[in-house]
Amino acid sequence: MKAIGNIHLIWRKGKGSRRFSVGIIKRNATEGIRFHYNQEEVAEAKKQGFTAYEGFPNLEKEYVENVIDIFGQRIIKTERNDIGNFLDFWMIDRKYIDDKYYMLAYTQGLLPTDNYEFLADFNPVQGLSFVTEITGLSKMQIDSKCLKSDSSLRYELESDNPYDNYAVKVFTGELYLGHIKKIHCRVFHMAKKSLNISLHNIEKNGVLRRVFIKVTL
């Protein structure tokens, strides 16, 4: 899959907290799948309580064995009764369902039991299509009536953002909603033409709780 670059292991202290890219998973035709920690981000994350990911205890080591088997444990089991809905939500191409690297990249490896997620550094190839999420909603507390299933979205690059020069802001009309997730935002800066973004799913309870969007090229 040419669309998938490296996958970043993202950690944050809790909902609404800053995301840190604490590690990078790389796939290579000759060297297989490897994992190493991102020392600069780890140093900052440790100040907020980060410790090594289970199965990869040495923060200084590059891991070359069983990497995808360990991380792949976060991928939903295909024998589940609701697997069809899950695959449809994340827009999974069924021919890659047994490719753990692909599945981790496209489903983000989210679990309700911890604060990790896996965000792919997607490449701007023709036909690219993936689901991401708008961040910062918990701080914004936006009235849920401001966004409907047929609302249009637009984005603006924010290269001067003090925390991430790949930042991308998302709006509906003139209303600022939040940012594209860390790492996922990079493809917007790398693409030679504009990407399309559209609403994919909204979770709300008086205010917008989570907003998933579809990104296509």
Side-chain angles (χ1 to χ4, degrees), residues 91-124:
M91 301 191 306
I92 299 301
D93 186 333
R94 284 354 188 231
K95 68 183 178 183
Y96 296 112
I97 194 171
D98 294 322
D99 183 334
K100 291 181 180 179
Y101 193 84
Y102 170 96
M103 291 293 289
L104 197 62
Y106 275 83
T107 68
Q108 303 178 29
L110 297 170
L111 294 178
T113 53
D114 62 28
N115 296 316
Y116 287 104
E117 55 193 331
F118 295 75
L119 302 182
D121 193 357
F122 288 107
N123 297 316

mmCIF file of all heavy atoms in Angstrom, residues 91-124:
data_model
loop_
_atom_site.group_PDB
_atom_site.id
_atom_site.type_symbol
_atom_site.label_atom_id
_atom_site.label_comp_id
_atom_site.label_asym_id
_atom_site.label_seq_id
_atom_site.Cartn_x
_atom_site.Cartn_y
_atom_site.Cartn_z
ATOM 1 N N MET A 91 -13.720 2.355 6.564
ATOM 2 C CA MET A 91 -13.556 2.283 5.106
ATOM 3 C C MET A 91 -12.426 1.324 4.706
ATOM 4 O O MET A 91 -11.545 1.649 3.914
ATOM 5 C CB MET A 91 -13.323 3.680 4.519
ATOM 6 C CG MET A 91 -14.443 4.648 4.814
ATOM 7 S SD MET A 91 -14.341 6.198 3.868
ATOM 8 C CE MET A 91 -12.693 6.754 4.247
ATOM 9 N N ILE A 92 -12.470 0.148 5.286
ATOM 10 C CA ILE A 92 -11.431 -0.849 5.060
ATOM 11 C C ILE A 92 -11.635 -1.569 3.729
ATOM 12 O O ILE A 92 -12.722 -2.050 3.435
ATOM 13 C CB ILE A 92 -11.414 -1.884 6.202
ATOM 14 C CG1 ILE A 92 -11.114 -1.206 7.538
ATOM 15 C CG2 ILE A 92 -10.426 -3.006 5.918
ATOM 16 C CD1 ILE A 92 -9.802 -0.479 7.600
ATOM 17 N N ASP A 93 -10.582 -1.643 2.938
ATOM 18 C CA ASP A 93 -10.580 -2.440 1.715
ATOM 19 C C ASP A 93 -10.441 -3.897 2.139
ATOM 20 O O ASP A 93 -9.414 -4.288 2.721
ATOM 21 C CB ASP A 93 -9.408 -2.020 0.828
ATOM 22 C CG ASP A 93 -9.430 -2.699 -0.539
ATOM 23 O OD1 ASP A 93 -9.978 -3.806 -0.640
ATOM 24 O OD2 ASP A 93 -8.879 -2.111 -1.493
ATOM 25 N N ARG A 94 -11.470 -4.709 1.886
ATOM 26 C CA ARG A 94 -11.509 -6.083 2.388
ATOM 27 C C ARG A 94 -10.316 -6.936 1.948
ATOM 28 O O ARG A 94 -9.957 -7.880 2.632
ATOM 29 C CB ARG A 94 -12.781 -6.778 1.936
ATOM 30 C CG ARG A 94 -14.140 -6.491 2.570
ATOM 31 C CD ARG A 94 -14.232 -5.619 3.741
ATOM 32 N NE ARG A 94 -15.575 -5.602 4.311
ATOM 33 C CZ ARG A 94 -16.271 -4.526 4.590
ATOM 34 N NH1 ARG A 94 -15.740 -3.335 4.361
ATOM 35 N NH2 ARG A 94 -17.471 -4.600 5.136
ATOM 36 N N LYS A 95 -9.682 -6.585 0.851
ATOM 37 C CA LYS A 95 -8.562 -7.423 0.397
ATOM 38 C C LYS A 95 -7.326 -7.252 1.277
ATOM 39 O O LYS A 95 -6.380 -8.041 1.186
ATOM 40 C CB LYS A 95 -8.222 -7.126 -1.060
ATOM 41 C CG LYS A 95 -7.634 -5.769 -1.342
ATOM 42 C CD LYS A 95 -7.407 -5.587 -2.840
ATOM 43 C CE LYS A 95 -6.858 -4.208 -3.170
ATOM 44 N NZ LYS A 95 -6.708 -3.995 -4.634
ATOM 45 N N TYR A 96 -7.336 -6.244 2.161
ATOM 46 C CA TYR A 96 -6.204 -6.027 3.061
ATOM 47 C C TYR A 96 -6.529 -6.388 4.503
ATOM 48 O O TYR A 96 -5.761 -6.063 5.412
ATOM 49 C CB TYR A 96 -5.746 -4.568 3.003
ATOM 50 C CG TYR A 96 -5.206 -4.144 1.665
ATOM 51 C CD1 TYR A 96 -5.903 -3.225 0.887
ATOM 52 C CD2 TYR A 96 -4.015 -4.654 1.168
ATOM 53 C CE1 TYR A 96 -5.409 -2.824 -0.352
ATOM 54 C CE2 TYR A 96 -3.521 -4.266 -0.064
ATOM 55 C CZ TYR A 96 -4.221 -3.353 -0.822
ATOM 56 O OH TYR A 96 -3.741 -2.958 -2.047
ATOM 57 N N ILE A 97 -7.628 -7.090 4.723
ATOM 58 C CA ILE A 97 -8.101 -7.343 6.080
ATOM 59 C C ILE A 97 -7.119 -8.180 6.893
ATOM 60 O O ILE A 97 -7.093 -8.110 8.124
ATOM 61 C CB ILE A 97 -9.504 -8.009 6.039
ATOM 62 C CG1 ILE A 97 -10.158 -7.954 7.432
ATOM 63 C CG2 ILE A 97 -9.428 -9.429 5.516
ATOM 64 C CD1 ILE A 97 -11.603 -8.380 7.436
ATOM 65 N N ASP A 98 -6.285 -8.965 6.228
ATOM 66 C CA ASP A 98 -5.302 -9.789 6.941
ATOM 67 C C ASP A 98 -3.936 -9.110 7.055
ATOM 68 O O ASP A 98 -2.996 -9.693 7.597
ATOM 69 C CB ASP A 98 -5.141 -11.144 6.244
ATOM 70 C CG ASP A 98 -6.407 -11.982 6.321
ATOM 71 O OD1 ASP A 98 -7.074 -11.949 7.379
ATOM 72 O OD2 ASP A 98 -6.734 -12.665 5.334
ATOM 73 N N ASP A 99 -3.824 -7.903 6.555
ATOM 74 C CA ASP A 99 -2.589 -7.137 6.626
ATOM 75 C C ASP A 99 -2.631 -6.288 7.899
ATOM 76 O O ASP A 99 -3.293 -5.249 7.955
ATOM 77 C CB ASP A 99 -2.454 -6.248 5.385
ATOM 78 C CG ASP A 99 -1.153 -5.469 5.329
ATOM 79 O OD1 ASP A 99 -0.566 -5.208 6.399
ATOM 80 O OD2 ASP A 99 -0.739 -5.094 4.215
ATOM 81 N N LYS A 100 -1.922 -6.714 8.933
ATOM 82 C CA LYS A 100 -1.996 -6.048 10.232
ATOM 83 C C LYS A 100 -1.464 -4.617 10.183
ATOM 84 O O LYS A 100 -1.956 -3.741 10.892
ATOM 85 C CB LYS A 100 -1.239 -6.859 11.285
ATOM 86 C CG LYS A 100 -1.904 -8.184 11.626
ATOM 87 C CD LYS A 100 -1.122 -8.929 12.696
ATOM 88 C CE LYS A 100 -1.797 -10.258 13.040
ATOM 89 N NZ LYS A 100 -1.026 -10.993 14.071
ATOM 90 N N TYR A 101 -0.456 -4.374 9.374
ATOM 91 C CA TYR A 101 0.091 -3.021 9.258
ATOM 92 C C TYR A 101 -0.967 -2.095 8.666
ATOM 93 O O TYR A 101 -1.192 -0.983 9.162
ATOM 94 C CB TYR A 101 1.338 -3.049 8.376
ATOM 95 C CG TYR A 101 2.173 -1.790 8.418
ATOM 96 C CD1 TYR A 101 3.117 -1.588 9.424
ATOM 97 C CD2 TYR A 101 2.043 -0.806 7.444
ATOM 98 C CE1 TYR A 101 3.909 -0.436 9.464
ATOM 99 C CE2 TYR A 101 2.821 0.346 7.471
ATOM 100 C CZ TYR A 101 3.750 0.523 8.481
ATOM 101 O OH TYR A 101 4.515 1.665 8.508
ATOM 102 N N TYR A 102 -1.620 -2.543 7.617
ATOM 103 C CA TYR A 102 -2.703 -1.779 6.983
ATOM 104 C C TYR A 102 -3.830 -1.527 7.991
ATOM 105 O O TYR A 102 -4.314 -0.402 8.137
ATOM 106 C CB TYR A 102 -3.232 -2.532 5.767
ATOM 107 C CG TYR A 102 -4.496 -1.970 5.168
ATOM 108 C CD1 TYR A 102 -4.454 -1.092 4.089
ATOM 109 C CD2 TYR A 102 -5.757 -2.321 5.663
ATOM 110 C CE1 TYR A 102 -5.617 -0.569 3.539
ATOM 111 C CE2 TYR A 102 -6.922 -1.808 5.124
ATOM 112 C CZ TYR A 102 -6.844 -0.938 4.060
ATOM 113 O OH TYR A 102 -8.000 -0.419 3.522
ATOM 114 N N MET A 103 -4.254 -2.576 8.680
ATOM 115 C CA MET A 103 -5.376 -2.460 9.611
ATOM 116 C C MET A 103 -5.053 -1.513 10.765
ATOM 117 O O MET A 103 -5.897 -0.734 11.198
ATOM 118 C CB MET A 103 -5.755 -3.841 10.141
ATOM 119 C CG MET A 103 -6.391 -4.756 9.096
ATOM 120 S SD MET A 103 -8.025 -4.174 8.553
ATOM 121 C CE MET A 103 -9.002 -4.507 10.031
ATOM 122 N N LEU A 104 -3.823 -1.570 11.246
ATOM 123 C CA LEU A 104 -3.423 -0.675 12.331
ATOM 124 C C LEU A 104 -3.434 0.773 11.856
ATOM 125 O O LEU A 104 -3.882 1.669 12.562
ATOM 126 C CB LEU A 104 -2.028 -1.067 12.820
ATOM 127 C CG LEU A 104 -1.581 -0.531 14.181
ATOM 128 C CD1 LEU A 104 -2.495 -1.038 15.295
ATOM 129 C CD2 LEU A 104 -0.136 -0.936 14.448
ATOM 130 N N ALA A 105 -2.954 0.989 10.626
ATOM 131 C CA ALA A 105 -2.902 2.343 10.070
ATOM 132 C C ALA A 105 -4.292 2.927 9.872
ATOM 133 O O ALA A 105 -4.538 4.100 10.178
ATOM 134 C CB ALA A 105 -2.144 2.331 8.745
ATOM 135 N N TYR A 106 -5.221 2.136 9.363
ATOM 136 C CA TYR A 106 -6.532 2.670 9.001
ATOM 137 C C TYR A 106 -7.536 2.688 10.153
ATOM 138 O O TYR A 106 -8.476 3.485 10.126
ATOM 139 C CB TYR A 106 -7.102 1.888 7.820
ATOM 140 C CG TYR A 106 -6.617 2.421 6.493
ATOM 141 C CD1 TYR A 106 -5.389 2.035 5.962
ATOM 142 C CD2 TYR A 106 -7.365 3.349 5.771
ATOM 143 C CE1 TYR A 106 -4.921 2.546 4.759
ATOM 144 C CE2 TYR A 106 -6.913 3.868 4.562
ATOM 145 C CZ TYR A 106 -5.688 3.465 4.065
ATOM 146 O OH TYR A 106 -5.229 3.989 2.884
ATOM 147 N N THR A 107 -7.355 1.838 11.167
ATOM 148 C CA THR A 107 -8.306 1.816 12.286
ATOM 149 C C THR A 107 -7.768 2.528 13.528
ATOM 150 O O THR A 107 -8.500 2.699 14.499
ATOM 151 C CB THR A 107 -8.680 0.380 12.670
ATOM 152 O OG1 THR A 107 -7.536 -0.283 13.233
ATOM 153 C CG2 THR A 107 -9.164 -0.413 11.452
ATOM 154 N N GLN A 108 -6.489 2.888 13.503
ATOM 155 C CA GLN A 108 -5.846 3.659 14.573
ATOM 156 C C GLN A 108 -5.609 2.862 15.857
ATOM 157 O O GLN A 108 -5.096 3.398 16.843
ATOM 158 C CB GLN A 108 -6.624 4.940 14.886
ATOM 159 C CG GLN A 108 -6.810 5.837 13.666
ATOM 160 C CD GLN A 108 -7.605 7.082 13.955
ATOM 161 O OE1 GLN A 108 -7.597 7.593 15.077
ATOM 162 N NE2 GLN A 108 -8.286 7.605 12.954
ATOM 163 N N GLY A 109 -5.972 1.574 15.879
ATOM 164 C CA GLY A 109 -5.686 0.734 17.035
ATOM 165 C C GLY A 109 -6.257 1.265 18.334
ATOM 166 O O GLY A 109 -5.686 1.071 19.409
ATOM 167 N N LEU A 110 -7.393 1.916 18.274
ATOM 168 C CA LEU A 110 -7.983 2.543 19.465
ATOM 169 C C LEU A 110 -8.586 1.510 20.414
ATOM 170 O O LEU A 110 -9.285 0.588 19.994
ATOM 171 C CB LEU A 110 -9.076 3.529 19.039
ATOM 172 C CG LEU A 110 -8.627 4.719 18.183
ATOM 173 C CD1 LEU A 110 -9.844 5.451 17.631
ATOM 174 C CD2 LEU A 110 -7.752 5.651 18.988
ATOM 175 N N LEU A 111 -8.314 1.667 21.699
ATOM 176 C CA LEU A 111 -8.917 0.837 22.743
ATOM 177 C C LEU A 111 -9.447 1.755 23.843
ATOM 178 O O LEU A 111 -8.846 2.799 24.116
ATOM 179 C CB LEU A 111 -7.880 -0.120 23.355
ATOM 180 C CG LEU A 111 -7.307 -1.227 22.456
ATOM 181 C CD1 LEU A 111 -6.271 -2.027 23.245
ATOM 182 C CD2 LEU A 111 -8.401 -2.139 21.949
ATOM 183 N N PRO A 112 -10.556 1.376 24.488
ATOM 184 C CA PRO A 112 -11.094 2.226 25.553
ATOM 185 C C PRO A 112 -10.308 2.121 26.855
ATOM 186 O O PRO A 112 -10.572 2.850 27.802
ATOM 187 C CB PRO A 112 -12.521 1.678 25.728
ATOM 188 C CG PRO A 112 -12.423 0.246 25.312
ATOM 189 C CD PRO A 112 -11.406 0.209 24.203
ATOM 190 N N THR A 113 -9.327 1.207 26.906
ATOM 191 C CA THR A 113 -8.634 0.915 28.153
ATOM 192 C C THR A 113 -7.310 1.660 28.331
ATOM 193 O O THR A 113 -6.679 1.568 29.386
ATOM 194 C CB THR A 113 -8.358 -0.597 28.253
ATOM 195 O OG1 THR A 113 -7.679 -1.023 27.062
ATOM 196 C CG2 THR A 113 -9.664 -1.363 28.391
ATOM 197 N N ASP A 114 -6.852 2.392 27.295
ATOM 198 C CA ASP A 114 -5.604 3.140 27.464
ATOM 199 C C ASP A 114 -5.618 4.405 26.610
ATOM 200 O O ASP A 114 -6.631 4.735 25.981
ATOM 201 C CB ASP A 114 -4.382 2.270 27.145
ATOM 202 C CG ASP A 114 -4.341 1.781 25.692
ATOM 203 O OD1 ASP A 114 -4.894 2.463 24.804
ATOM 204 O OD2 ASP A 114 -3.748 0.715 25.442
ATOM 205 N N ASN A 115 -4.510 5.119 26.587
ATOM 206 C CA ASN A 115 -4.435 6.412 25.904
ATOM 207 C C ASN A 115 -3.498 6.381 24.702
ATOM 208 O O ASN A 115 -2.841 7.369 24.384
ATOM 209 C CB ASN A 115 -3.978 7.488 26.899
ATOM 210 C CG ASN A 115 -4.976 7.697 28.023
ATOM 211 O OD1 ASN A 115 -6.175 7.755 27.782
ATOM 212 N ND2 ASN A 115 -4.489 7.791 29.239
ATOM 213 N N TYR A 116 -3.449 5.218 24.046
ATOM 214 C CA TYR A 116 -2.631 5.080 22.844
ATOM 215 C C TYR A 116 -3.494 5.112 21.593
ATOM 216 O O TYR A 116 -4.671 4.720 21.613
ATOM 217 C CB TYR A 116 -1.873 3.746 22.858
ATOM 218 C CG TYR A 116 -0.736 3.684 23.828
ATOM 219 C CD1 TYR A 116 -0.868 2.978 25.026
ATOM 220 C CD2 TYR A 116 0.483 4.311 23.561
ATOM 221 C CE1 TYR A 116 0.191 2.903 25.930
ATOM 222 C CE2 TYR A 116 1.544 4.231 24.461
ATOM 223 C CZ TYR A 116 1.385 3.530 25.640
ATOM 224 O OH TYR A 116 2.426 3.460 26.519
ATOM 225 N N GLU A 117 -2.902 5.551 20.503
ATOM 226 C CA GLU A 117 -3.504 5.419 19.183
ATOM 227 C C GLU A 117 -2.367 5.349 18.172
ATOM 228 O O GLU A 117 -1.232 5.738 18.450
ATOM 229 C CB GLU A 117 -4.458 6.582 18.879
ATOM 230 C CG GLU A 117 -3.839 7.954 19.001
ATOM 231 C CD GLU A 117 -4.891 9.066 19.009
ATOM 232 O OE1 GLU A 117 -5.947 8.892 18.411
ATOM 233 O OE2 GLU A 117 -4.620 10.119 19.626
ATOM 234 N N PHE A 118 -2.681 4.830 17.001
ATOM 235 C CA PHE A 118 -1.669 4.616 15.971
ATOM 236 C C PHE A 118 -2.063 5.418 14.736
ATOM 237 O O PHE A 118 -3.066 5.133 14.087
ATOM 238 C CB PHE A 118 -1.576 3.121 15.647
ATOM 239 C CG PHE A 118 -1.087 2.299 16.808
ATOM 240 C CD1 PHE A 118 -1.912 2.025 17.892
ATOM 241 C CD2 PHE A 118 0.212 1.822 16.836
ATOM 242 C CE1 PHE A 118 -1.463 1.285 18.975
ATOM 243 C CE2 PHE A 118 0.681 1.085 17.913
ATOM 244 C CZ PHE A 118 -0.162 0.822 18.990
ATOM 245 N N LEU A 119 -1.278 6.441 14.436
ATOM 246 C CA LEU A 119 -1.636 7.370 13.369
ATOM 247 C C LEU A 119 -0.627 7.273 12.235
ATOM 248 O O LEU A 119 0.572 7.491 12.428
ATOM 249 C CB LEU A 119 -1.707 8.795 13.906
ATOM 250 C CG LEU A 119 -2.705 9.008 15.066
ATOM 251 C CD1 LEU A 119 -2.717 10.463 15.492
ATOM 252 C CD2 LEU A 119 -4.096 8.540 14.689
ATOM 253 N N ALA A 120 -1.127 6.950 11.061
ATOM 254 C CA ALA A 120 -0.268 6.770 9.891
ATOM 255 C C ALA A 120 0.092 8.102 9.260
ATOM 256 O O ALA A 120 -0.730 9.014 9.191
ATOM 257 C CB ALA A 120 -0.962 5.873 8.873
ATOM 258 N N ASP A 121 1.324 8.175 8.790
ATOM 259 C CA ASP A 121 1.779 9.320 8.008
ATOM 260 C C ASP A 121 1.461 8.992 6.549
ATOM 261 O O ASP A 121 2.281 8.427 5.831
ATOM 262 C CB ASP A 121 3.285 9.508 8.217
ATOM 263 C CG ASP A 121 3.792 10.838 7.705
ATOM 264 O OD1 ASP A 121 2.994 11.594 7.130
ATOM 265 O OD2 ASP A 121 4.989 11.114 7.860
ATOM 266 N N PHE A 122 0.242 9.300 6.131
ATOM 267 C CA PHE A 122 -0.226 8.918 4.800
ATOM 268 C C PHE A 122 0.496 9.686 3.695
ATOM 269 O O PHE A 122 0.885 10.846 3.876
ATOM 270 C CB PHE A 122 -1.734 9.142 4.686
ATOM 271 C CG PHE A 122 -2.563 8.154 5.453
ATOM 272 C CD1 PHE A 122 -3.207 8.542 6.628
ATOM 273 C CD2 PHE A 122 -2.698 6.848 5.017
ATOM 274 C CE1 PHE A 122 -3.978 7.632 7.344
ATOM 275 C CE2 PHE A 122 -3.466 5.931 5.728
ATOM 276 C CZ PHE A 122 -4.099 6.329 6.895
ATOM 277 N N ASN A 123 0.658 9.035 2.565
ATOM 278 C CA ASN A 123 1.262 9.656 1.392
ATOM 279 C C ASN A 123 0.168 10.182 0.466
ATOM 280 O O ASN A 123 -0.876 9.537 0.311
ATOM 281 C CB ASN A 123 2.121 8.642 0.640
ATOM 282 C CG ASN A 123 3.282 8.147 1.486
ATOM 283 O OD1 ASN A 123 3.957 8.926 2.155
ATOM 284 N ND2 ASN A 123 3.519 6.841 1.469
ATOM 285 N N PRO A 124 0.390 11.328 -0.182
ATOM 286 C CA PRO A 124 -0.642 11.919 -1.056
ATOM 287 C C PRO A 124 -0.709 11.257 -2.430
ATOM 288 O O PRO A 124 -0.404 11.863 -3.446
ATOM 289 C CB PRO A 124 -0.188 13.380 -1.150
ATOM 290 C CG PRO A 124 1.294 13.314 -1.024
ATOM 291 C CD PRO A 124 1.574 12.203 -0.051
#
